[in-house]
């Protein structure tokens, strides 16, 4: 079997020109950490306004979970007070983005390392391909051919292309390496971040219901919304909001090793998902309702007096409810 050693990595481009430099922010003068907060907030209110238009124009009423009359009669907080509270919560999120950006400074990137990282993966993919070549040959697959694609490799630096073309790479080695670097690794970081957020929020949310003091002083404010307004996802105690949403998202970002611009995708997706889950609509063309069963109907059960100690999972998946047996099992229509 082939072994990955110094000779296998001989074609890697030189690291002499690799240096840490500050990545220019996407918006001049605005740290990317702050931009991530602002984009997620903009997404929150954009989707909220979309649902408000649907509600006020009485569109798709057949897909609404509760009538407007029920929302007005059962909710213990008005729409304006709810909106002001959410804006205060988001002001705190912006402040945290500024603090994080102040202490961490601009993102440092290894300028010149892109080719090296890509060819490092390519070398390891080649080693794996050569290791399984005898087995593939038994079924008639020839994995030893070589070749390069100008379209795929035209973006590589001249030094990297020269080193690579003098080696024994198959063009699929680089294709697989590009997929690993640009798709698989970011997807794994996103998956870890989603799992961290769901874990943190499930157990924190469950604590809010199991501990009477926490529920009375913090979480009961959120449950003044029996029929949640679409923009009421963040409505609640500012202490709870910081400990649950802000801290949970921050831990997910740090533990997963996300880059700031990947964090922007995470935070924006989380904002859109939160609004959708509190929208009160189960629109058949809403793609988020098919991501998992943790959707508007699932979370709506938790906001009812008969279901508020069930369906703790939020905001993405329901695996902790399934594992811990806290998902709602009874009939819904009877209530």
């Amino acid at each position: 079997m082939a072994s990955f050693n110094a000779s296998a990595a001989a074609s890697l481009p030189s690291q002499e020109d690799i240096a840490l430099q500050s990545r220019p922010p996407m918006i001049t003068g605005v740290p990317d950490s702050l931009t991530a907060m602002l984009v997620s907030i903009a997404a929150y209110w954009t989707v909220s306004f979309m649902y408000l238009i649907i509600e006020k124009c009485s569109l798709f009423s057949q897909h609404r979970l509760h009538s407007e009359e029920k929302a007005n009669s059962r909710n213990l907080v008005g729409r304006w007070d709810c909106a002001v509270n959410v804006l205060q919560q988001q002001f705190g999120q912006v402040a945290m983005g500024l603090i994080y950006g102040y202490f961490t400074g601009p993102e440092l990137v290894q300028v010149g390392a892109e080719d090296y990282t890509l060819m490092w993966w390519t070398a390891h993919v080649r080693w794996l391909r050569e290791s399984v070549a005898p087995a593939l040959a038994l079924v008639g697959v020839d994995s030893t051919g070589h070749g390069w694609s100008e379209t795929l490799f035209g973006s590589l630096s001249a030094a990297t292309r020269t080193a690579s073309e003098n080696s024994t790479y198959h063009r699929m080695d680089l294709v697989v390496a590009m997929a690993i670097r640009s798709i698989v690794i970011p997807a794994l970081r996103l998956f870890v971040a989603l799992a961290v957020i769901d874990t943190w929020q499930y157990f924190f949310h469950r604590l809010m219901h199991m501990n009477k003091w926490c529920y009375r002083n913090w979480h009961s404010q959120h449950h003044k919304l029996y029929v949640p307004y679409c923009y009421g996802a963040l409505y609640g105690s500012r202490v709870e909001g910081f400990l649950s949403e802000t801290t949970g998202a921050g831990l997910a970002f740090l533990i997963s090793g996300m880059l700031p611009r990947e964090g922007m995708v995470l935070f924006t997706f989380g904002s859109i998902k939160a609004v959708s889950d509190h929208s009160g609509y189960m629109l058949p063309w809403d793609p988020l309702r098919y991501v998992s069963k943790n959707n508007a109907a699932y979370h709506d059960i938790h906001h009812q007096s008969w279901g508020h100690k069930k369906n703790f999972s939020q905001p993405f998946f329901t695996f902790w409810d399934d594992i811990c047996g806290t998902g709602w099992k009874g009939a819904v229509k009877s209530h």
Side-chain angles (χ1 to χ4, degrees):
M1 177 178 289
S3 60
F4 189 83
N5 50 35
S7 62
S11 60
L12 293 178
S14 172
Q15 299 185 68
E16 294 179 357
D17 297 329
I18 296 175
L20 281 176
Q21 297 183 18
S22 299
R23 183 194 294 275
M26 289 184 292
I27 301 176
T28 303
V30 181
D32 283 347
S33 57
L34 177 58
T35 301
M37 296 294 99
L38 295 176
V39 170
S40 67
I41 291 171
Y44 186 99
W45 287 105
T46 298
V47 179
S48 293
F49 281 123
M50 180 192 74
Y51 278 111
L52 280 173
I53 292 173
I54 291 174
E55 177 186 328
K56 294 305 179 183
C57 295
S58 299
L59 303 174
F60 317 118
S61 299
Q62 69 274 25
H63 301 300
R64 190 171 184 177
L65 299 175
H66 301 281
S67 65
E68 185 172 0
E69 292 75 18
K70 184 176 289 188
N72 294 333
S73 63
R74 296 191 64 196
N75 286 342
L76 303 179
V77 61
R79 293 177 179 271
W80 176 251
D81 290 339
C82 177
V84 170
N85 177 276
V86 170
L87 288 171
Q88 291 172 340
Q89 302 272 14
Q90 292 174 329
F91 178 81
Q93 293 176 351
V94 171
M96 289 304 298
L98 285 171
I99 293 172
Y100 177 83
Y102 175 81
F103 283 104
T104 60
E107 180 189 359
L108 296 178
V109 294
Q110 291 184 313
V111 176
E114 293 83 0
D115 286 355
Y116 180 86
T117 302
L118 179 59
M119 297 312 301
W120 185 91
W121 278 110
T122 305
H124 284 75
V125 170
R126 180 185 65 179
W127 168 78
L128 179 61
R129 172 177 57 80
E130 292 176 346
S131 298
V132 300
L136 293 177
L138 294 176
V139 294
V141 177
D142 179 12
S143 63
T144 60
H146 309 115
W148 287 90
S149 166
E150 293 296 328
T151 302
L152 284 173
F153 310 135
S155 61
L156 293 177
S157 66
T160 302
R161 286 177 56 81
T162 300
S164 302
E165 289 167 351
N166 291 332
S167 64
T168 56
Y169 287 116
H170 189 284
R171 66 167 163 267
M172 286 307 297
D173 295 341
L174 188 56
V175 173
V176 174
M178 292 173 69
I180 292 174
R181 187 195 65 171
S182 303
I183 300 175
V184 176
I185 299 301
L188 286 175
R189 286 197 287 255
L190 177 61
F191 175 80
V192 170
L194 296 180
V196 170
I197 290 177
D198 269 13
T199 300
W200 177 267
Q201 292 206 16
Y202 172 85
F203 287 102
F204 188 88
H205 189 191
R206 187 172 178 178
L207 172 66
M208 292 297 99
H209 281 270
M210 298 297 106
N211 185 287
K212 293 182 179 180
W213 188 92
C214 290
Y215 184 83
R216 182 174 63 253
N217 290 279
W218 293 342
H219 194 57
S220 61
Q221 185 172 351
H222 183 69
H223 279 275
K224 290 181 178 180
L225 296 174
Y226 285 92
V227 182
Y229 307 128
C230 57
Y231 51 84
L234 295 181
Y235 174 76
S237 162
R238 284 183 286 277
V239 174
E240 181 190 357
F242 173 78
L243 293 176
S244 178
E245 282 83 12
T246 305
T247 303
L251 286 173
F253 177 79
L254 294 173
I255 292 173
S256 66
M258 278 188 154
L259 303 177
R261 298 180 187 186
E262 294 172 340
M264 184 183 304
V265 175
L266 171 68
F267 302 148
T268 301
F269 175 57
S271 292
I272 295 173
K273 183 69 166 59
V275 173
S276 176
D277 290 349
H278 289 79
S279 67
Y281 283 87
M282 284 292 287
L283 300 175
W285 53 84
D286 180 3
L288 294 180
R289 65 174 291 187
Y290 302 107
V291 172
S292 80
K293 64 180 180 181
N294 196 345
N295 49 39
Y298 187 89
H299 191 66
D300 183 77
I301 292 173
H302 177 74
H303 273 267
Q304 308 312 309
S305 59
W306 42 269
H308 76 284
K309 289 193 175 182
K310 296 291 184 180
N311 291 14
F312 296 120
S313 289
Q314 59 180 42
F316 302 114
F317 304 105
T318 64
F319 58 88
W320 282 117
D321 272 331
D322 297 335
I323 293 171
C324 298
T326 51
W328 177 263
K329 297 294 195 301
V332 174
K333 291 185 178 180
S334 61
H335 292 277

